[in-house]
Structures are given as structure tokens and as C-alpha cells.
Amino acid sequence: MSSDWEGLPIVAIEALALGIPIVAYNLKSLEEVVQTGKTGYLCDSESEMTKAVEKILSSSDEFELLSKNSQERYNRKYDAQILQKNWQNIYEIKSHA
């Protein structure tokens, strides 16, 4: 992801679901989604992005680890059932307040 600004990073969340390691600029909105070195890399420059992509593409072990971690993170945080449960909990808390 090479955008200078990103709201809710839906593309990044979709990448996690598919097990695609993410390489993106280090934007505040992506810090919650991407764990550098675990699910991909957040970079401060184009040269860092290039190095990160080269690292992932040159090592199948690196790609497999990032891919596995990405899918696990998606399943823990962003799966539709998890999100539904979280929203339901919020509504229940609000209705009892």
C-alpha cells in the first residue's frame, strides 16, 4: 500500500484474511492492523518498502511465517463473527448503562 493517507484500512484487513504479507507506509491507521516483522512491514520510505518486498520475495520461510501470522491475526481480530460479538457487547453495555 503506497498511499499517503488511509482511513480504515480495509485492503490491509482483506490482505490479512488472505494471508498476504503487507508492506505499506507507516501510517497511524495501519499500526493497528500491521505488526512489523509479524504480519508485514510498515516503512518510512520507498527504499524501506523495496527492501521489505525483496526480503519477503527472497525467502519462502519469511513469506510463510508472515502469511500464517496474518491469517491468525485476522481470525483473532477481524473475523465477522468476532466483530459481531464485539459490537453486541458494546450495545449490551450501553443498554445497561
Side-chain angles (χ1 to χ4, degrees):
M1 296 179 64
S2 58
S3 58
D4 292 331
W5 182 87
E6 186 76 26
L8 180 63
I10 298 297
V11 170
I13 293 169
E14 291 171 342
L16 290 178
L18 296 171
I20 299 171
I22 300 164
V23 176
Y25 280 117
N26 190 6
L27 304 175
K28 191 76 171 161
S29 61
L30 289 168
E31 291 176 355
E32 181 181 334
V33 178
V34 182
Q35 295 176 298
T36 295
K38 292 183 179 182
T39 62
Y41 295 95
L42 293 178
C43 306
D44 293 318
S45 67
E46 287 181 26
S47 63
E48 282 185 27
M49 288 180 88
T50 301
K51 289 176 186 176
V53 169
E54 289 173 347
K55 181 177 182 178
I56 293 168
L57 293 178
S58 67
S59 170
S60 60
D61 289 341
E62 177 78 3
F63 178 86
E64 291 297 324
L65 179 63
L66 294 173
S67 179
K68 177 179 170 270
N69 290 342
S70 293
Q71 288 178 320
E72 288 174 357
R73 182 161 178 79
Y74 173 83
N75 290 332
R76 278 192 320 272
K77 284 197 71 152
Y78 300 105
D79 178 74
Q81 292 177 350
I82 298 292
L83 293 176
Q84 178 186 5
K85 184 177 179 181
N86 290 343
W87 279 107
Q88 187 173 359
N89 288 340
I90 290 169
Y91 283 116
E92 288 174 4
I93 290 169
K94 292 288 185 187
S95 68
H96 291 89

